[in-house]
Amino acid sequence: MRRLLICIALAASPGIGMASTCYGTVAHGRLEEGVQLPKDGVNFAAYSSLGVQLGRTYVHSAVREVVVDAYRALEQSMPKTTFVYGETGFAEGGQMRPHKTHQAGLSVDLMVPVLNAAGASVPLPGNAANKFGYGIEFDNAGKFKDLRIDYEAMAEHLYQLSRAAESHKLGITRVIFDPLLTPQLFSTNRGAYLNQHLHFMKERSWIRHDEHYHVDFATPCRPLR
């Protein structure tokens, strides 16, 4: 009886146990029953508590499961690595400036994992002065001040996202990362898998994607009306 009451309570709670519905495309769409990513976990955190409060970290329910499952897998494969995710979208989807996509709950920005001068994993620093991490500029060697991109961790993250997406019957349609830095990503242990199984945007995006990698997931969306 107690278990039944708990199930009823969860079903009645907004956004819990309800599947999302997307409409249109990532560049022109909307979302119903969007769910928010967890603010933090054992090995990850959101890019900004303000961004979370402003509702800029909502996704399709299936995407949430994939993202969380990937972080859980990373607890085992890279237990000493810290990850940070960026902006995703609004609960109802639609335009979220300055992004040109992120409209259907299927787009996720992931801040690059970084190592400090001592070789330890640290969160990418985010604050108002550097646009919560989005204003950081890495050089062509993947370095910024005393930080350097942890390509092995980034590759492992994309690998676990791909595996989690497959297990949830989702696809990954596109990954956006600076083409000048991508060869270093492909030289990692998971690089061959990424190059073979994921589609990386080859031309440079309208803004440089060096401090984060953008992932578009695929699930059937209804026509936008």
Side-chain angles (χ1 to χ4, degrees):
M1 183 65 181
R2 181 173 178 270
R3 184 175 181 180
L4 176 61
L5 290 174
I6 292 174
C7 292
I8 293 173
L10 289 174
S13 300
I16 296 179
M18 303 180 70
S20 302
T21 303
C22 57
Y23 295 82
T25 68
V26 295
H28 185 55
R30 64 182 180 89
L31 181 66
E32 290 183 355
E33 304 295 344
V35 294
Q36 197 165 28
L37 289 175
K39 181 181 177 181
D40 51 36
V42 173
N43 60 346
F44 71 92
Y47 74 114
S48 161
S49 58
L50 178 60
V52 172
Q53 293 170 12
L54 292 175
R56 298 175 71 88
T57 58
Y58 278 81
V59 292
H60 190 287
S61 55
V63 171
R64 184 188 191 278
E65 292 180 0
V66 169
V67 171
V68 172
D69 281 1
Y71 282 135
R72 188 175 296 116
L74 289 165
E75 289 180 38
Q76 303 300 318
S77 63
M78 304 199 89
K80 295 183 179 180
T81 303
T82 300
F83 295 90
V84 177
Y85 71 83
E87 299 197 314
T88 56
F90 291 127
E92 69 281 4
Q95 188 174 38
M96 184 175 70
R97 298 184 185 278
H99 305 278
K100 290 189 175 181
T101 56
H102 293 257
Q103 295 197 23
L106 305 178
S107 302
V108 177
D109 282 352
L110 302 155
M111 314 311 283
V112 292
V114 293
L115 301 171
N116 64 16
S121 176
V122 294
L124 186 73
N127 51 59
N130 66 19
K131 300 179 181 178
F132 300 101
Y134 281 94
I136 291 175
E137 290 289 332
F138 287 89
D139 62 22
N140 289 343
K143 295 181 178 180
F144 169 75
K145 296 184 178 180
D146 65 341
L147 301 176
R148 57 187 172 90
I149 297 174
D150 186 348
Y151 288 105
E152 289 290 347
M154 179 179 169
E156 181 68 16
H157 190 189
L158 285 167
Y159 170 76
Q160 295 298 347
L161 282 170
S162 177
R163 294 294 302 273
E166 182 180 354
S167 68
H168 286 283
K169 310 301 181 185
L170 265 68
I172 292 178
T173 58
R174 179 176 62 171
V175 178
I176 304 177
F177 186 56
D178 191 323
L180 293 177
L181 300 178
T182 301
Q184 298 178 70
L185 180 65
F186 287 163
S187 68
T188 61
N189 290 332
R190 298 292 192 187
Y193 175 93
L194 302 183
N195 198 11
Q196 181 178 356
H197 291 87
L198 298 181
H199 171 68
F200 283 76
M201 184 173 171
K202 292 181 172 55
E203 62 274 15
R204 189 164 177 173
S205 180
W206 69 285
I207 59 170
R208 189 177 178 223
H209 284 63
D210 59 312
E211 77 292 324
H212 78 279
Y213 40 115
H214 170 109
V215 179
D216 284 329
F217 293 92
T219 191
C221 291
R222 298 180 181 180
L224 183 64
R225 296 177 181 175

